[in-house]
Amino acid sequence: MTLLTDEQLANIAHDYFLSKLNIADISKKYSLSRYLITKALEEAEEKGIVKISIYQSPKRAEKLERKFQQIFHLKEVYILEDLETKNQDNEMIVNYAAKQIQNYTKSAYVVGLTWGTLIRDIINNFPETERENLTFVQLVGQAVNASKRKNQLVQQAADKFGANCLTFPAPLYTINPGFVQDIMQEPFFEYIKTFYPRIDLVFASIGTAQSLESGQFFMDYYADKLFRNMDRSRVAGMIFGRPYDINGNFFKPIETHICGISFDEIMRIPKRFVIVKNRFKEDALLGALRSGIVTHLITTSGIAERVLHKNIEFS
């Protein structure tokens, strides 16, 4: 076979799968035989340049959903039956969450966001549409010297909807609470704050105690000062920059050090979606559920079973 570069293979695959050109047309375009075009498509798939997935509607674990609603007083629960592999579960969660959340955005005008790899993946799965009257709002400041997964996503989400976005140009944490008070008096914050009471829904993932310690800059310059009166071994999870224990108790002293939406304002948002696909986050999810900060949940049956076991163990 004629040696083709990965870029050429990708171009041929794009023409066939996305532009819907037939093999005869592609053969003429690239001056290659139909046989070579067919082999190029096979090679593109073998190399992972082309990944073919067939969407099947996930099966929901209805008994588990009812249990979660009863125990944790949730408005809606979507617990999807585990598939054969972890990768299949991850893809299923992302696709399903994207569809459910986009359905809710149809009647929303203001949507709150923070960060996270999972949230980015969900946004990437939104089909492009036009919603000029929709605004995505950044809820809290930016984690300093953090990885890409901590980048704010409001612009990326807004681009998917042809919508508006409001970023929050401030750090997530400050050592000096007075600095937070000063930021709150800045015109940009006074403006963005007018949107907080109007948020219709927020969707978020949760972090673990390990995620709190993953940023070396944070650990070197902030951790000891922000958490000097807190036993970090008791942190079960993090959400909206706020640590909590497995019983759902938030560590309140950190509240005055957070730049952005207040805890009380978060709790007034009517729809607070949390999506969890990591089976090692059962402690973090249990604590979040016990706190009452979650109103809508999307996860898998395997994770749900582990949470119920933990709930009995720590009751």
Side-chain angles (χ1 to χ4, degrees):
M1 174 180 173
T2 304
L3 185 63
L4 298 177
T5 66
D6 286 354
E7 183 177 359
Q8 288 171 316
L9 293 174
N11 289 336
I12 290 170
H14 186 283
D15 288 345
Y16 183 75
F17 290 106
L18 299 181
S19 298
K20 303 299 183 184
L21 297 181
N22 61 40
I23 289 178
D25 291 336
I26 299 172
S27 174
K28 291 177 183 177
K29 178 177 179 179
Y30 294 99
S31 299
L32 295 171
S33 69
R34 298 185 188 189
Y35 171 79
L36 290 178
I37 295 299
T38 301
K39 296 300 289 183
L41 293 171
E42 291 175 357
E43 187 178 351
E45 189 174 351
E46 289 170 2
K47 284 188 167 185
I49 296 170
V50 171
K51 295 181 180 179
I52 298 174
S53 61
I54 299 173
Y55 177 76
Q56 291 180 309
S57 181
K59 294 181 180 178
R60 290 172 58 179
E62 295 180 0
K63 289 184 179 179
L64 278 175
E65 290 177 349
R66 287 194 292 271
K67 277 187 180 180
F68 267 66
Q69 279 190 301
Q70 292 168 1
I71 295 171
F72 302 112
H73 310 292
L74 300 170
K75 292 181 180 178
E76 283 196 86
V77 188
Y78 305 91
I79 299 177
L80 311 181
E81 293 282 6
D82 290 333
L83 298 178
E84 293 181 1
T85 68
K86 179 183 175 183
N87 286 340
Q88 287 176 320
D89 287 344
N90 290 345
E91 186 175 354
M92 172 181 66
I93 281 283
V94 169
N95 290 338
Y96 192 85
K99 286 179 172 60
Q100 292 301 321
I101 291 168
Q102 187 156 40
N103 283 337
Y104 275 92
T105 62
K106 292 176 181 177
S107 59
Y109 293 95
V110 183
V111 177
L113 279 179
T114 53
W115 54 72
T117 303
L118 174 56
I119 301 305
R120 175 178 282 106
D121 290 343
I122 290 170
I123 291 170
N124 286 336
N125 271 267
F126 288 150
E128 292 189 2
T129 186
E130 288 296 323
R131 278 292 311 279
E132 293 182 358
N133 59 347
L134 180 63
T135 301
F136 288 89
V137 179
Q138 182 175 323
L139 298 180
V140 292
Q142 175 68 42
V144 179
N145 279 25
S147 61
K148 288 183 179 179
R149 64 190 179 90
K150 296 290 187 182
N151 289 344
Q152 302 294 345
L153 300 173
V154 287
Q155 183 63 64
Q156 192 171 331
D159 289 345
K160 280 283 187 174
F161 287 82
N164 308 299
C165 72
L166 290 172
T167 59
F168 187 12
L172 171 58
Y173 301 116
T174 67
I175 292 170
N176 179 7
F179 184 64
V180 177
Q181 295 301 315
D182 289 342
I183 287 176
M184 290 172 65
Q185 296 178 43
E186 290 292 324
F188 79 85
F189 183 76
E190 290 184 344
Y191 178 68
I192 200 170
K193 190 175 173 61
T194 64
F195 282 80
Y196 289 160
R198 297 156 50 193
I199 295 176
D200 301 295
L201 72 95
V202 58
F203 59 100
S205 57
I206 54 177
T208 61
Q210 289 71 34
S211 69
L212 183 66
E213 299 169 355
S214 63
Q216 193 57 49
F217 187 87
F218 174 81
M219 294 304 295
D220 289 344
Y221 295 98
Y222 284 86
D224 289 341
K225 294 174 183 177
L226 289 179
F227 303 136
R228 58 179 174 268
N229 297 319
M230 186 182 87
D231 180 1
R232 290 206 294 271
S233 67
R234 292 179 55 229
V235 175
M238 299 278 296
I239 189 167
F240 306 119
R242 293 162 167 88
Y244 53 86
D245 65 23
I246 200 165
N247 293 313
N249 301 308
F250 282 87
F251 296 89
K252 293 183 179 179
I254 200 174
E255 191 68 22
T256 57
H257 298 272
I258 295 176
C259 296
I261 192 169
S262 71
F263 182 81
D264 290 340
E265 287 170 321
I266 292 171
M267 296 301 287
R268 285 195 286 268
I269 297 171
K271 300 178 184 71
R272 304 185 293 273
F273 270 89
V274 166
I275 307 97
V276 180
K277 69 172 185 177
N278 188 327
R279 62 191 179 92
F280 297 110
K281 288 187 176 181
E282 69 266 26
D283 286 7
L285 179 52
L286 176 57
L289 290 169
R290 286 175 165 179
S291 75
I293 203 166
V294 182
T295 62
H296 295 64
L297 173 66
I298 302 176
T299 191
T300 66
S301 58
I303 295 170
E305 293 282 8
R306 291 164 73 105
V307 169
L308 289 181
H309 178 76
K310 284 277 184 178
N311 189 47
I312 295 170
E313 182 182 346
F314 286 90
S315 59

